[in-house]
Amino acid sequence: MQLWHRPLGPNDLRQCLRIATGATLGFLLCKVMNWNYGVFFTVTPMLLLGMVPVMSGHAARQLLASAVTSSVEVGLLGGLFGSHPGLITPIAFLLFLYRFACMSKGSLFLFGANGVINLSIMLHFGSYPTVDLNDLITTNLVATAFSVAIAWVMTALMPDVEARPKPAPAAKAPHRMRHEALLGATIATLSFLVFQILDLKDSLSAQSTTLLVLFPMHWNGALGYARKRAMGTLLGVSFGLAVQVLLYDWSDQLLLVTLMLWTGAMLFSYAHVKEASGSGAGFGALTTLGILFGQYLTPGSDMVYSALYRVSSICTAIVVTLALCYLVHRLLNSHPATRFGQ
């Protein structure tokens, strides 16, 4: 693949350092403070620094607004209707719909994308009586605020040395925007239903995958991303297994774990930047690594089982999501008002 032969520029190297160091700082903060849901503190800086090459006030406002909006919606609507599937399902569809509409518009893509992931995860996990909903919401808000702060600090300490070209906004026809919003909202709602019905409360990575596959906003993009996501998952899991073997019973040594996380994040950030495709195999490996370290690498836990379970669940999620995505894509394309193409 020719993209892999593209030499890294000074901006690219600094972005790799920002991603790896930012994710490691989030992970370290969570472990030192002994906070729950370490995946929020590890993956959110990855998403922000990986998807937004240059940190800006617009990006920070979008991320913070998405976290606050999702928290209010989950706290009010999830708390009232979370135990009533017949009521929460149409509500979830409408909440997903306006987020995917924001993503389709382009200028609010980060608000919609982060909101889709936050809403789906918190609605699902918040429905279990054993989960403290207030703790879940508070942790998500704190993790988002710290992620924004970490991103600003990383940008200040390791700024770009060359001006980046601003991407030109792509104009979309109204029928295409309706297609993208309805496709995303439908699949996200079906994903939420499946994870609720099957009681899958230990499949965070698979649940996230069903949403990340939708981010290209169309069928061909979802198909291409699915292949890259599967490859990235294998890379991230392989690194996680190697770390488990290397550390063995030293997983309680925070310094060693932190060093391993930074090394892996730097390696996969390099792959992500070399691909230059937004969300490819490198980014898939990066987020898989963040989930494994943030959620499962703890003293007394066995990350080998968790890693193997991640592979099987993610591959299954990809196949099922693609099948549903194709069916919904064909259905929407049969009507001129929601047709993707001309």
Side-chain angles (χ1 to χ4, degrees):
M1 195 169 165
Q2 291 184 350
L3 287 173
W4 286 89
H5 298 288
R6 182 177 66 88
L8 279 184
N11 282 354
D12 297 328
L13 180 59
R14 285 170 178 252
Q15 185 180 1
C16 292
L17 290 169
R18 290 197 294 264
I19 296 172
T21 307
T24 304
L25 283 176
F27 170 82
L28 191 60
L29 173 69
C30 173
K31 296 304 179 183
V32 169
M33 300 301 294
N34 196 28
W35 287 335
N36 296 322
Y37 306 105
V39 65
F40 287 146
F41 291 88
T42 309
V43 175
T44 306
M46 290 178 174
L47 290 172
L48 183 56
L49 292 166
M51 301 302 290
V52 183
V54 180
M55 186 60 185
S56 64
H58 182 56
R61 287 189 293 271
Q62 286 188 75
L63 198 73
L64 291 171
S66 70
V68 172
T69 304
S70 298
S71 298
V72 171
E73 291 169 346
V74 171
L76 293 178
L77 301 176
L80 290 172
F81 307 112
S83 58
H84 305 282
L87 294 175
I88 196 62
T89 300
I91 292 174
F93 174 80
L94 293 175
L95 297 179
F96 285 129
L97 183 62
Y98 87 80
R99 284 174 167 82
F100 277 101
C102 290
M103 293 170 65
S104 182
K105 185 177 180 181
S107 59
L108 296 175
F109 184 89
L110 186 60
F111 169 83
N114 190 67
V116 164
I117 294 177
N118 280 344
L119 179 67
S120 181
I121 290 175
M122 290 199 294
L123 272 182
H124 175 57
F125 284 91
S127 66
Y128 292 100
T130 55
V131 174
D132 186 341
L133 186 59
N134 291 327
D135 180 47
L136 178 63
I137 292 173
T138 302
T139 302
N140 180 55
L141 288 172
V142 171
T144 302
F146 273 110
S147 297
V148 170
I150 287 171
W152 277 117
V153 171
M154 292 297 99
T155 303
L157 294 177
M158 292 172 278
D160 282 348
V161 295
E162 299 173 352
R164 293 178 183 259
K166 293 185 178 180
K172 294 181 180 179
H175 55 81
R176 174 175 173 175
M177 295 178 69
R178 285 191 288 267
H179 179 101
E180 293 177 343
L182 287 170
L183 174 68
T186 302
I187 302 301
T189 305
L190 289 173
S191 167
F192 169 71
L193 275 177
V194 168
F195 278 85
Q196 285 278 283
I197 293 171
L198 298 182
D199 195 27
L200 300 174
K201 57 185 177 181
D202 192 34
S203 300
L204 180 61
S205 52
Q207 185 179 0
S208 301
T209 296
T210 62
L211 303 173
L212 293 171
V213 165
L214 303 172
F215 282 11
M217 306 291 289
H218 55 88
W219 160 247
N220 290 333
L223 184 62
Y225 173 79
R227 291 194 294 262
K228 294 176 182 178
R229 176 68 180 179
M231 184 184 302
T233 299
L234 290 175
L235 291 172
V237 165
S238 297
F239 185 88
L241 290 174
V243 168
Q244 181 74 44
V245 172
L246 181 63
L247 293 180
Y248 196 53
D249 56 354
W250 293 346
S251 59
D252 58 340
Q253 300 298 317
L254 185 59
L255 181 61
L256 295 178
V257 173
T258 302
L259 179 61
M260 291 294 102
L261 173 61
W262 187 90
T263 302
M266 189 64 187
L267 177 65
F268 296 135
S269 297
Y270 172 84
H272 167 61
V273 172
K274 289 282 279 186
E275 284 180 295
S277 61
S279 184
F283 194 71
L286 192 63
T287 53
T288 299
L289 186 71
I291 291 171
L292 285 174
F293 273 74
Q295 195 73 5
Y296 300 106
L297 187 59
T298 56
S301 69
D302 182 13
M303 199 169 69
V304 173
Y305 169 78
S306 298
L308 295 177
Y309 178 70
R310 300 284 83 72
V311 173
S312 59
S313 62
I314 285 176
C315 290
T316 302
I318 286 175
V319 172
V320 174
T321 303
L322 284 179
L324 292 173
C325 189
Y326 178 74
L327 293 175
V328 175
H329 166 78
R330 290 294 300 270
L331 178 63
L332 293 174
N333 261 5
S334 64
H335 301 281
T338 56
R339 188 165 292 157
F340 180 77
Q342 296 295 332

